[in-house]
Each structure stands twice: as structure tokens, then as C-alpha cells.
Amino acid sequence: MRAFRSLCLLLSALLLAPWAWAAESPAELTAEEWLRKLGPALNTTSYRGVFVYTRGDQVNAMHIVHRYRNGEVQERLVPQDGESGEILRKGNRVTCILPEHGRFHLDAVIPSGPFAEAFSSQFVPVSRWYQATLLEPGRVAGHKAAVVELNARDPHRYSYRIWLEKNTGLLIKSDVREGGDGRVLERFQFTSLEITNDLHDSEFEIQGSGKTVEHTLGGGPWSSSTRHLEGWRLGWRPEGFMPAATPRTRASGQAVAFSDGLASFSIFVEAFSGTEMPTGASRIGATTAYMRMGQVDTQRYLVTVVGEIPPATARKVADSVEVIDALKLFGRGSHD
Amino acid sequence: MSEVNGMDERLKETLSAMMDDEADELSVRRLLAHSDPEALRSHWHRWQQIRSLMHDEVPQVLPGDMAQKVRASIQGSLAASAEVASESSLPERGWRLLRWRGSAAATVALALLLGFGAGVGWQVSPVAEHGGELAVHADAAPLVADVPEIPLQGLDDQQWEHLSRYLLEHAQHNSVAAGRGSVGYARVVSVSSASR
């Protein structure tokens, strides 16, 4: 009987649509099977709740409602502290209500890609770079959870511990941990969570007032025509980190992102803008930003690597950046 | 070297023992009670420099002339520290990479006292280059050994604005790359509200 159930589970994994995963609540899944549930569950589970995000000495709470309707993700996020603001996503349309006195312009942070869709397929090779272990079950925000530890197999990346809600596979807590002592660098955790299909349309409407910025995902500056690195090359990156977002053409440089399915980092190569930056790494929780200045001919430039990777990895990536054609990379508009 | 001379020999012994992961808790507590953390910090940094140079751990990101300056400047320290090293048998102990086996709480307390921002393990690396003095990582993780750290507090407004733009854009990439919609958003908000 148990074998039959396992077979059914396997068949459902292979044949059914991703959202069918949520309907199963098997008790004997392996760590890898839980990981496969994670991606679809992030999209297809309907819920409302508050999660807290902690990194370094920063703590942010956000209210979230999320549902999957007519084949599209609908999501609304409202920061619970600091400046007011809202982020509403319906399918590929993202709307931001900007805070009046934000330090930064939120129009620069509107997601510009099909973010969650790539997740599920990327989890398969994760076990090549992380050792996945199923730990004792846990409990988060009143929900039973499967706990999976993902220990990095090399020193180029951090390790993770993730809590997945038992019935749906929804990610309800995650830690980014530094190797060795396992110190937690960053934590995402629901403090209240209601998994329900009883979500009203009104919960997915903008309720605040303020400047509104709308954006459609998948278009804009992320274009396949700029897929190749132009005017520079990357000499090294950790194994398993694949191009995850196409390079973005900038006014005077390029940006490109890589991911191993769990961690990601971005590389920015830009002409010197007039702001002298020091050489070295800054850390906010699990995020490292490594900067270094460079020069080719008379053109000065800045290489910045930002990602959830150890400082030494960021530095090695940044040091391997070689600008070979300043004119092509930075254009004529740059200044030195 | 005045602060070294002014430091109790037992404290120096404790410091050197900590370098070799052999200090006992009582000694660490005595160190914690020391009235001059500046002297401790300076002494610790100097020994870290010596140890690092013996292992050729000078950060490669330093310009050549800076590395030479550092080497030259600590030649004196090396000679002056020979006596201390001899007393504490440091060469015999081989300046192994530090792994702290003692009381974690005491270690953290000492780290705070010295202003090192350390966790359970030692991370003596708050500033890479400050006032002509070089601080070198003593973390057990070899990959962190030679990356200078830039405290966010050390950036001026223009630099912070510049860096924050990259942090934000990466957070945006993160949503795309790792597919972690909510976490990606949270990172965005976290960066937006970051205070230095």
C-alpha cells in the first residue's frame, strides 16, 4: 500500500500540473522531494500573513496576500514599518505605491523579469552544490514544517536551512548560514500565516495613495539582444552559477546576474561616475557588496559584485573581471 | 611598544595562548577585566599582522607599495615581539589558524570589548586600512582571510547612495534569478530602509 502511494506520488510529480503538488501532503518525502515542491508552492499556494525579514541589524516586517488565479500570480505586499508603500503584482503587471520620503526611488526596484517561474526547474541541480538533509520536523507560525538543511559543498557559497509548510510545501522560514559555526546571517520567517483560498478581490487592490509606478514584467531593458557580455569578460565564477538574468544595458556599462538556484549575485561594470569608491567588501547580513576600481587606457571604471555569497567569493569574481573594450562597454558618454 | 610593555605578562601570555587556541576560561576572564582595551586591541592586531605575514596573508588587493610598507612597518614589531613570542612558545605552536574552543560567551564578550564585531569565531577585520594600520582577518575560513571590509558607516552619503543603488538592483535581480519573490521584495525593502 505504501509502495502504491509512493508510485502515485511519483506519477503526480511527473504528470500533473505544478499546482497539483499543493494538494498532496505526504509524510515521507525526502529532502530532494521537498525541494521540488518548493518552487511550485511559492507560486500556487494562496495565503495571507506577515513575514519578518532580518539581516544584520535590520528587521523588516511585511504583510502579504498571495493567490494563484486563472493561471497568474496575484500578490500584494505592504511594509509594516518605516515608510508606507505598497507593491502589487498581478501576473506580469507590477504596481508600486511610492513612499513620500523614501531615501531611494522605488521605481528603480520594480522587478523586471518573470521571477518565480524559473525557480522550480532550477532546484534540480541544487543538490550538486549543496548537501540536502531532512531534519526533524519543526513548527513556524503555528504550522508544522518539514526542515531541510542545505549545506554548501564548497566554500564559495553559504548554507541554508529552510522550513516548508507540511501540506503545501510553502516556504515559511529560511536561514542563510555561514559555514563553520553555522551563524545565521539572514532570516526570513512568517510570524503569522493563514493558508486559505478565501481571499477577497479587495485584498488585491491598491489601498494607499501616493505616486504610482506601473511596470510590465518581461520587457524593458532585459532583452535577449544584449545577452552577451560586451566589451568585458568574466574570468571566474563559482561552479554552478549560471546566467540567471540577461545583461542589462546601462548608460555606461553592464550588469549581469548569476544564480545556482539558491544564491545569486550580480556584477556591475560601469564607467567611473565621479564617485570614488573604496576597495573592499561591505556586508549586510548575507549580502556582500565588493567594489574595486579599475582602469583601461585612460578610462577608469568600477566593478561591483553584490550577492548572497561570502566576501572572498565576491572578491574573486570581481578580480576576474577584465575590461577589453572600454568604448564598447562604456560608450562615448562616459567620463574618466 | 609602550602598551605592550605596560601590559601584564600574564595577559600577554593569555593573548598568545588565544592565538593558538589554548587559553583557558579563567585567563580569558582575566583578560576581559583588563582596563585598557586599546592596548589589547593594538597588541592583538600586531600579532595578527605578524602571523599573517608569516603565512603570506597580506591582502593581495593592497597596492604593492602598501604591502611593502606594512611589511617594513612591522619588522620592528616582529623583532620587538620576539621576546614575547619566545616566552609564549609561539613559533613552536606554529601560529596555527585560530579555532576557538573555549567559552563562546567569553569570546564574544572579549570581541565586543575589543570592538571586533566577532561571532563565536574570531573575525578581526573591521577595517582594512585605517590610520596607516593594517587589520588582517583571523577567521578560520581561509577565503575570508584577505578581503578588506568596508563598514557602511565609513561611506559618505554619495558613496552610500551609489552602493545602495547596486544593492537595490541586485535585490531586483534576486527576485528574477532565484525566483524568491517575497524574499526578493523583502531584500528590496530592507535595503530601502537601511540605516547606517
Side-chain angles (χ1 to χ4, degrees), chain A residues 57-58 282-284, chain B residues 126-127 149-157 159-160 163 195-196:
Chain A
D57 57 357
Q58 296 171 32
S282 293
R283 303 177 75 177
I284 307 175
Chain B
V127 180
E149 184 167 332
I150 303 170
L152 293 177
Q153 294 83 354
L155 300 177
D156 62 32
D157 283 350
Q159 289 172 327
W160 169 242
L163 177 59
S195 59
R196 291 182 293 146

Side-chain angles (χ1 to χ4, degrees), chain A:
Chain A
M1 188 62 190
R2 187 166 161 174
F4 177 73
R5 189 166 68 167
S6 297
L7 181 62
C8 288
L9 287 174
L10 182 62
L11 284 175
S12 68
L14 295 174
L15 301 176
L16 298 184
W19 50 89
W21 284 100
E24 297 288 350
S25 57
E28 298 93 1
L29 294 184
T30 65
E32 287 75 16
E33 287 167 331
W34 277 112
L35 292 176
R36 284 193 205 103
K37 290 188 73 168
L38 173 54
L42 273 175
N43 273 343
T44 58
T45 310
S46 294
Y47 58 89
R48 72 165 69 85
V50 173
F51 67 82
V52 171
Y53 175 71
T54 309
R55 68 172 170 183
D57 57 357
Q58 296 171 32
V59 180
N60 294 96
M62 294 189 87
H63 178 266
I64 182 170
V65 284
H66 179 109
R67 72 181 176 186
Y68 193 75
R69 169 170 284 198
N70 301 326
E72 76 170 19
V73 170
Q74 299 183 350
E75 193 172 62
R76 178 167 164 263
L77 295 105
V78 183
Q80 297 296 285
D81 38 35
E83 298 284 351
S84 60
E86 293 179 46
I87 301 171
L88 178 69
R89 177 191 173 199
K90 287 187 175 178
N92 287 336
R93 301 181 309 281
V94 176
T95 306
C96 289
I97 297 293
L98 309 180
E100 290 181 10
H101 303 292
R103 179 186 269 269
F104 308 107
H105 301 290
L106 266 182
D107 53 355
V109 308
I110 297 173
S112 57
F115 34 83
E117 281 69 19
F119 198 44
S120 53
S121 61
Q122 289 185 344
F123 246 106
V124 178
V126 155
S127 57
R128 285 187 64 186
W129 321 113
Y130 300 89
Q131 172 72 47
T133 308
L134 192 61
L135 303 181
E136 287 297 309
R139 191 172 156 87
V140 177
H143 294 264
K144 290 180 181 175
V147 187
V148 178
E149 190 168 67
L150 292 151
N151 279 323
R153 293 185 189 272
D154 61 44
H156 303 310
R157 63 205 93 212
Y158 290 131
S159 295
Y160 294 78
R161 188 173 293 180
I162 58 177
W163 286 253
L164 306 175
E165 199 275 327
K166 274 280 187 184
N167 294 318
T168 60
L170 179 67
L171 179 70
I172 51 179
K173 180 178 175 181
S174 74
D175 286 350
V176 181
R177 291 166 177 253
E178 198 160 31
D181 58 9
R183 190 162 55 105
V184 176
L185 300 173
E186 174 188 289
R187 172 166 290 164
F188 159 92
Q189 177 178 359
F190 275 98
T191 53
S192 69
L193 175 66
E194 184 184 3
I195 297 174
T196 174
N197 288 317
D198 187 20
L199 297 169
H200 301 289
D201 290 346
S202 61
E203 295 182 73
F204 296 88
E205 300 298 332
I206 289 289
Q207 293 172 11
S209 60
K211 183 184 174 188
T212 303
V213 175
E214 293 191 24
H215 188 79
T216 300
L217 301 179
W222 297 87
S223 162
S224 58
S225 65
T226 58
R227 194 167 187 83
H228 302 290
L229 308 185
E230 293 182 340
W232 63 288
R233 67 167 70 104
L234 182 63
W236 182 85
R237 67 177 189 261
E239 267 195 296
F241 278 89
M242 305 303 291
T246 52
R248 180 175 182 179
T249 303
R250 310 166 72 84
S252 60
Q254 267 196 337
V256 61
F258 294 88
S259 174
D260 69 352
L262 271 179
S264 68
F265 64 84
S266 305
I267 306 173
F268 305 89
V269 187
E270 288 193 307
F272 177 58
S273 65
T275 303
E276 288 283 353
M277 300 299 283
T279 293
S282 293
R283 303 177 75 177
I284 307 175
T287 302
T288 295
Y290 185 89
M291 298 166 285
R292 75 166 178 88
M293 299 292 297
Q295 183 163 340
V296 57
D297 299 328
T298 59
Q299 176 67 59
R300 296 181 71 199
Y301 61 88
L302 175 66
V303 176
T304 308
V305 175
V306 184
E308 286 64 50
I309 50 177
T313 306
R315 180 195 158 200
K316 199 170 175 184
V317 170
D319 286 351
S320 79
V321 169
E322 183 187 3
V323 174
I324 49 181
D325 188 337
L327 193 63
K328 186 181 279 185
L329 174 57
F330 304 126
R332 297 177 187 278
S334 59
H335 49 95
D336 44 352

Side-chain angles (χ1 to χ4, degrees), chain B residues 137-153:
Chain B
H137 285 260
D139 197 296
L143 281 173
V144 196
D146 52 4
V147 180
E149 184 167 332
I150 303 170
L152 293 177
Q153 294 83 354

Side-chain angles (χ1 to χ4, degrees), chain B residues 5-175:
Chain B
N5 295 332
M7 191 186 297
D8 183 274
E9 287 302 315
R10 285 190 305 176
L11 296 183
K12 284 191 284 188
E13 178 65 32
T14 302
L15 269 182
S16 73
M18 287 177 66
M19 294 277 296
D20 268 6
D21 194 11
E22 291 176 2
D24 60 62
E25 186 168 345
L26 187 63
S27 303
V28 173
R29 288 185 186 282
R30 195 184 304 129
L31 200 62
L32 284 169
H34 194 264
S35 59
D36 190 351
E38 268 307 314
L40 283 176
R41 175 166 34 217
S42 171
H43 198 64
W44 178 263
H45 277 182
R46 183 174 295 106
W47 284 4
Q48 291 295 337
Q49 291 165 3
I50 297 167
R51 185 186 70 96
S52 298
L53 280 183
M54 291 176 75
H55 285 269
D56 280 325
E57 289 178 3
V58 170
Q60 294 169 10
V61 293
L62 284 176
D65 59 341
M66 174 60 81
Q68 283 174 359
K69 276 182 193 171
V70 171
R71 284 179 191 278
S73 71
I74 66 170
Q75 285 306 313
S77 300
L78 190 58
S81 298
E83 181 188 343
V84 176
S86 163
E87 288 170 11
S88 52
S89 304
L90 285 169
E92 289 80 7
R93 290 168 186 161
W95 299 90
R96 293 193 305 268
L97 280 177
L98 185 63
R99 263 199 341 271
W100 178 245
R101 290 194 301 252
S103 158
T107 307
V108 172
L110 180 61
L112 291 173
L113 177 72
L114 301 183
F116 286 159
V120 175
W122 283 93
Q123 289 184 300
V124 192
S125 57
V127 180
E129 187 186 331
H130 181 68
E133 182 183 351
L134 178 74
V136 188
H137 285 260
D139 197 296
L143 281 173
V144 196
D146 52 4
V147 180
E149 184 167 332
I150 303 170
L152 293 177
Q153 294 83 354
L155 300 177
D156 62 32
D157 283 350
Q158 207 174 6
Q159 289 172 327
W160 169 242
E161 195 75 25
H162 205 75
L163 177 59
S164 66
R165 247 188 280 278
Y166 291 135
L167 291 170
L168 286 168
E169 199 162 328
H170 167 70
Q172 178 182 338
H173 293 175
N174 195 268
S175 292

